Amino acid sequence: MSILIKNVSKTFGNFVAVDNVSVEVPDGALLGLLGPSGSGKTTLLRIIAGLELADSGSVLHQQEDITHHSPRDRKVGFVFQHYALFRHMTVYENIAFGLRVKPRAERPPEAEIAKRVKELLDLVQLSWFAHRYPTQLSGGQRQRVALARALAVEPRVLLLDEPFGALDAQVRKELRRWLRRLHGELHITSLFVTHDQDEALEVADQIVIMNKGKVEQTGTVQEVYERPATAFAYSFLGAVNRFAGRVEGHSLRIGNDRVPLAQPAIADGEEVIAFARPHELEIVSETAPEGLAVKVNRVLISGATARVELKGLIGAKGLAEPQHFEVELTRDRLNDLGLKAGQHVRLIASRLRVFPSGR
Amino acid sequence: MSAEAALEKPRALEVGRIRYAQQDPASVRWGLTLTAVAVVGVLVVIPVVNIFVEALRDGVAVYWANLFDDPDTRDSIFLTLTVVPIAVAANIIFGITAAWAIARFSFPGRTLLTALIDLPFSVSPVVAGLMFVLIFGLQGYFGPFLRRDGYAVMPYLTSLLGVAVLILLFFLFRPAAPNARRDLWNHPWLAVLVGGATSFGVLFFLQQHFEVWPRNQSLKIIFATPGLVLATAFVTFPFVARELIPVMEAIGPEEELAAISLGANGWQVFWRVTVPNIKWGLVYGIILCNARAVGEFGAVYVVSGHIAGQTDTMPLRIEKLFQEYNLPGAFAVASVLTLLALLTLVAKIKLERKPPSAASLPEPKTDEARP
């Protein structure tokens, strides 16, 4: 294993930022740390980089314990959300910085520094901007310079803290693809932090979902998306519909309505939370014997599919407000149903994932 | 009339109307401008010009003689040129340290420190001077001791300074990799204790057997140059720190963290990242600090004792010449101070005009990377 994080905890005053977290990053992997803000993912990244000291636990790199090493000995490349480029230096000098501050014995000669910087500038496609200052570059260009700067010291690990967080959607999409391709070329073990699930799903090989300082689930992108381990993991990844109710035999009872459960239920009579993706829900007529009674709010057509927004007729448990649901279906199906806003229908699920409530 | 011109006309009208709506009547504009010019002229321009007129009334030769042929005046200029650089240097070191601590760390007493930095601004300079007299003066707390055997404090003072330098050196030269650290490198407190005890011992030994500093002699602080330096430094205490704290807070720690993650040590981070970023704030602070230090009167007046040729700084000399009805002499010294002030003002305006980003643009060093 390339990086091994063992039982790491960190508190700031009363706030537990990272709570007994263990994560493995295989050699050459691109791992995404995904979680809402305040879930401790950035703190974990900074602990790996040595910018923050863990209260307990250890960080290992190729079986070597680096928990108490200073950042400069860890050979870690760190890319900050807001670039953190040296504003008084040119792009060239920014990238050369890591080489220039090496101890005299290890410092490469000027010609070699120039060669290395040129290679990196080619790699991030910014050869024309060597003598510009960071303020003269766009956000996407700056982040590429930050990446080149981090790569200049030939780090063993690359850490990216919300690398695309400060960019607009278009540039973001481009850079994601570019990072993916770059990782394919360099195969450097990388960890990146994001709160954007699409980004994590698109860029990473493996995903670690964090919530409240704890790891909720670890796995490949496919695994995590298809088989979320916890209610949190399910609701955090992708669009989701949430049902709160009680298991009764082979159906879920919500108020007076019943929604059939496909897979064998947990314990009979238990309070549960169930999730379904928008394409896993089906709309049936109001007169159907089963299904949750809802009202059509809006029908949105986009391309070959349509999205229907629905409103629950009864308040969900513990909520005064009625719940909202979203169903995705084909245009043909929509035409068959002939839905109109305000119409009363029922919802059933082709697939429903059930988690005990209170988790 | 062409179609274009027809289109052009209403637009021009509109511009005119917008301008009109934003402007006050001519009478108000000119009235206010003239009032401002008159006030500035009477209160600022005429007195300043008058200083030079009075100083040069009897010709350049007399002006020169007034400045440099009077030994007391000459000494006062040299004394100011001695006291001010020391006070400013002390405040640069203090200012950077304090700004760094306040902007980068949170520690108990941080708010108190921030408030205390401003204290010299709110205390009357005369009170500040009196404070030093009460501490170091003959009737003050340390007065009798300083008078009897003043230089006995020197081994203590120098070894304290030695400990500070030792702490700095310890963290600068400590091997970065923990597994490369042996013995004392792993125990900062022990190392400082051992180093401190050693330097203390060596200095006391030197004093005991070789009398590096004179014994049984009084060390004069009040009515002497050290007092002047202390008073000047106290009064100009906040300038550099006040200027740097907002700059450092605005820049944030990220660039420094980036430098650390790229392998820079503390020394390199400070000189290559922190200093270039705060450079203009620092220069600005030094200019203000210097201007105030040169012209300081109140605090210096109390601790000086007015010994002509020994403890008279330029402002004190001006006052003395004025009291002696030597107006040409007084105005000659005053003109030098005014010139210094004007130079400071020009430097300040130059700095303010220079946009920070453009100001910090160095020439590209290498051309190899240019595609």
Side-chain angles (χ1 to χ4, degrees):
Chain A
M1 286 304 133
S2 188
I3 295 185
L4 187 59
I5 299 153
K6 273 207 294 206
N7 307 37
V8 164
S9 295
K10 173 81 185 174
T11 51
F12 295 107
N14 293 328
F15 178 70
V16 183
V18 177
D19 189 1
N20 200 15
V21 164
S22 299
V23 174
E24 281 178 11
V25 189
D27 230 340
L30 178 52
L31 185 120
L33 268 177
L34 181 62
S37 37
S39 60
K41 50 198 194 316
T42 295
T43 307
L44 189 62
L45 204 69
R46 290 167 81 103
I47 288 171
I48 299 170
L51 299 176
E52 206 87 70
L53 269 181
D55 296 338
S56 62
S58 49
V59 180
L60 280 82
H61 184 267
Q62 313 278 29
Q63 271 97 47
E64 183 196 357
D65 190 337
I66 58 165
T67 317
H68 297 289
H69 284 197
S70 76
R72 51 183 318 203
D73 300 312
R74 298 194 182 200
K75 292 204 189 309
V76 156
F78 203 97
V79 176
F80 293 81
Q81 181 179 4
H82 297 288
Y83 329 122
L85 293 176
F86 306 125
R87 64 194 84 186
H88 61 284
M89 294 184 199
T90 57
V91 167
Y92 180 94
E93 286 300 319
N94 261 286
I95 298 173
F97 185 88
L99 301 171
R100 291 197 198 285
V101 296
K102 277 180 189 277
R104 206 174 293 276
E106 298 168 34
R107 201 179 302 159
E110 194 57 41
E112 204 168 306
I113 292 179
K115 186 167 154 270
R116 180 98 186 101
V117 173
K118 195 179 175 316
E119 280 170 18
L120 285 161
L121 280 169
D122 288 341
L123 184 72
V124 298
Q125 297 153 0
L126 285 172
S127 305
W128 290 96
F129 300 96
H131 295 287
R132 295 262 188 106
Y133 284 87
T135 45
Q136 298 167 310
L137 302 179
S138 71
Q141 290 169 335
R142 284 183 211 182
Q143 198 54 291
R144 269 144 62 194
V145 174
L147 199 65
R149 183 179 68 176
L151 290 172
V153 290
E154 289 174 348
R156 303 187 293 191
V157 183
L158 189 62
L159 304 173
L160 305 113
D161 184 10
E162 306 234 2
F164 314 130
L167 303 170
D168 59 63
Q170 194 63 37
V171 181
R172 214 165 156 144
K173 207 155 195 174
E174 226 166 83
L175 272 185
R176 276 185 207 162
R177 232 172 282 141
W178 179 79
L179 177 67
R180 187 67 245 186
R181 210 174 56 233
L182 192 76
H183 184 259
E185 284 172 30
L186 300 175
H187 285 295
I188 178 168
T189 309
S190 311
L191 239 106
F192 82 99
V193 154
T194 180
H195 62 260
D196 182 339
Q197 10 142 338
D198 292 336
E199 195 166 294
L201 295 175
E202 194 178 320
V203 179
D205 306 324
Q206 288 212 23
I207 288 182
V208 172
I209 299 178
M210 286 188 71
N211 183 33
K212 292 178 185 161
K214 289 192 166 145
V215 172
E216 292 272 340
Q217 191 177 6
T218 313
T220 64
V221 171
Q222 186 89 11
E223 276 168 16
V224 172
Y225 190 76
E226 301 274 311
R227 290 187 295 280
T230 64
F232 176 82
Y234 206 114
S235 58
F236 196 71
L237 281 178
V240 79
N241 293 294
R242 184 175 178 278
F243 303 89
R246 188 152 37 86
V247 175
E248 275 185 15
H250 281 277
S251 57
L252 178 70
R253 192 181 172 97
I254 306 164
N256 294 324
D257 300 332
R258 318 164 140 268
V259 178
L261 281 174
Q263 64 263 76
I266 331 177
D268 213 20
E270 196 174 339
E271 297 287 340
V272 294
I273 295 168
F275 294 98
R277 304 269 180 221
H279 64 269
E280 292 167 346
L281 286 180
E282 260 178 74
I283 297 171
V284 292
S285 95
E286 198 193 352
T287 52
E290 284 183 316
L292 182 67
V294 289
K295 192 174 86 177
V296 178
N297 227 10
R298 215 147 66 109
V299 180
L300 299 160
I301 297 168
S302 58
T305 59
R307 282 193 303 131
V308 182
E309 287 179 11
L310 308 118
K311 202 165 145 187
L313 288 178
I314 47 161
K317 259 214 166 65
L319 295 168
E321 284 288 303
Q323 257 192 305
H324 290 270
F325 301 98
E326 194 183 304
V327 178
E328 201 178 285
L329 34 71
T330 60
R331 286 282 290 280
D332 295 342
R333 179 82 185 125
L334 184 74
N335 290 338
D336 290 348
L337 288 166
L339 292 177
K340 274 186 219 74
Q343 193 180 337
H344 284 228
V345 290
R346 280 180 189 276
L347 274 183
I348 55 169
S350 62
R351 189 155 171 245
L352 209 55
R353 285 275 297 171
V354 180
F355 297 95
S357 72
R359 264 204 72 182
Chain B
M1 192 191 275
S2 71
E4 259 176 54
L7 274 174
E8 214 49 50
K9 211 175 175 189
R11 207 184 295 158
L13 260 178
E14 212 169 78
V15 169
R17 204 182 306 138
I18 289 168
R19 277 224 181 123
Y20 187 71
Q22 285 175 337
Q23 277 178 354
D24 295 310
S27 57
V28 175
R29 271 184 286 144
W30 285 106
L32 282 174
T33 312
L34 284 177
T35 315
V37 167
V39 168
V40 170
V42 171
L43 289 182
V44 181
V45 179
I46 293 176
V48 168
V49 171
N50 188 43
I51 289 173
F52 291 98
V53 171
E54 287 291 328
L56 293 165
R57 180 179 289 265
D58 301 321
V60 181
V62 178
Y63 175 73
W64 195 257
N66 273 331
L67 276 182
F68 294 105
D69 286 357
D70 182 346
D72 290 349
T73 303
R74 206 168 48 212
D75 286 342
S76 78
I77 295 174
F78 285 130
L79 184 61
T80 294
L81 290 181
T82 317
V83 168
V84 170
I86 299 174
V88 171
N91 279 335
I92 291 171
I93 295 171
F94 165 77
I96 293 176
T97 325
W100 173 281
I102 287 171
R104 290 287 177 271
F105 306 101
S106 71
F107 50 91
R110 183 171 170 269
T111 331
L112 189 70
L113 181 62
T114 319
L116 281 181
I117 286 174
D118 282 339
L119 189 71
F121 272 166
S122 46
V123 170
S124 154
V126 176
V127 175
L130 210 59
M131 207 172 69
F132 285 112
V133 173
L134 286 177
I135 296 172
F136 299 112
L138 265 189
Q139 267 70 46
Y141 299 113
F142 300 120
F145 164 75
L146 287 171
R147 183 183 161 78
R148 209 181 326 113
D149 188 12
Y151 286 95
V153 296
M154 293 312 276
Y156 296 96
L157 266 182
T158 37
S159 53
L160 263 183
L161 208 72
V163 170
V165 172
L166 263 174
I167 294 173
L168 199 73
L169 290 180
F170 181 86
F171 285 104
L172 279 182
F173 287 101
R174 182 158 74 152
N179 40 21
R181 288 180 196 153
R182 246 172 263 118
D183 313 322
L184 276 181
W185 290 120
N186 279 321
H187 305 281
W189 285 111
L190 199 63
V192 168
L193 208 71
V194 169
T198 313
S199 74
F200 199 67
V202 167
L203 286 161
F204 263 88
F205 177 81
L206 286 176
Q207 172 69 349
Q208 205 68 33
H209 296 277
F210 298 99
E211 284 200 33
V212 183
W213 294 282
R215 278 203 210 139
N216 297 322
Q217 276 190 32
S218 61
L219 172 63
K220 284 195 87 172
I221 289 179
I222 300 303
F223 305 154
T225 313
L228 296 175
V229 172
L230 274 177
T232 309
F234 179 85
V235 171
T236 54
F237 205 49
F239 284 103
V240 177
R242 269 284 133 223
E243 208 54 53
L244 287 187
I245 291 167
V247 173
M248 283 186 134
E249 273 175 352
I251 287 169
E254 279 211 319
E255 283 181 47
E256 284 155 13
L257 287 176
I260 291 169
S261 80
L262 288 168
N265 61 29
W267 193 250
Q268 289 168 324
V269 172
F270 180 70
W271 286 109
R272 287 168 184 254
V273 178
T274 311
V275 169
N277 274 340
I278 62 169
K279 190 166 53 184
W280 297 108
L282 185 62
V283 171
Y284 196 69
I286 293 171
I287 287 176
L288 292 178
C289 183
N290 188 60
R292 180 70 200 271
V294 169
E296 176 51 30
F297 182 82
V300 167
Y301 185 91
V302 180
V303 297
S304 139
H306 315 286
I307 308 165
Q310 282 184 34
T311 61
D312 263 352
T313 61
M314 281 164 74
L316 298 179
R317 184 69 194 151
I318 294 170
E319 193 245 11
K320 197 175 264 180
L321 288 169
F322 181 73
Q323 298 291 344
E324 291 166 356
Y325 302 105
N326 183 354
L327 286 189
F331 275 113
V333 186
S335 74
V336 175
L337 269 188
T338 313
L339 214 61
L340 278 175
L342 288 177
L343 280 178
T344 310
L345 206 66
V346 170
K348 194 180 140 218
I349 290 168
K350 276 251 154 115
L351 268 185
E352 277 169 351
R353 281 219 187 122
K354 213 176 262 183
S357 55
S360 50
L361 296 188
E363 284 298 307
K365 273 186 205 150
T366 38
D367 282 313
E368 289 99 316
R370 207 188 282 277

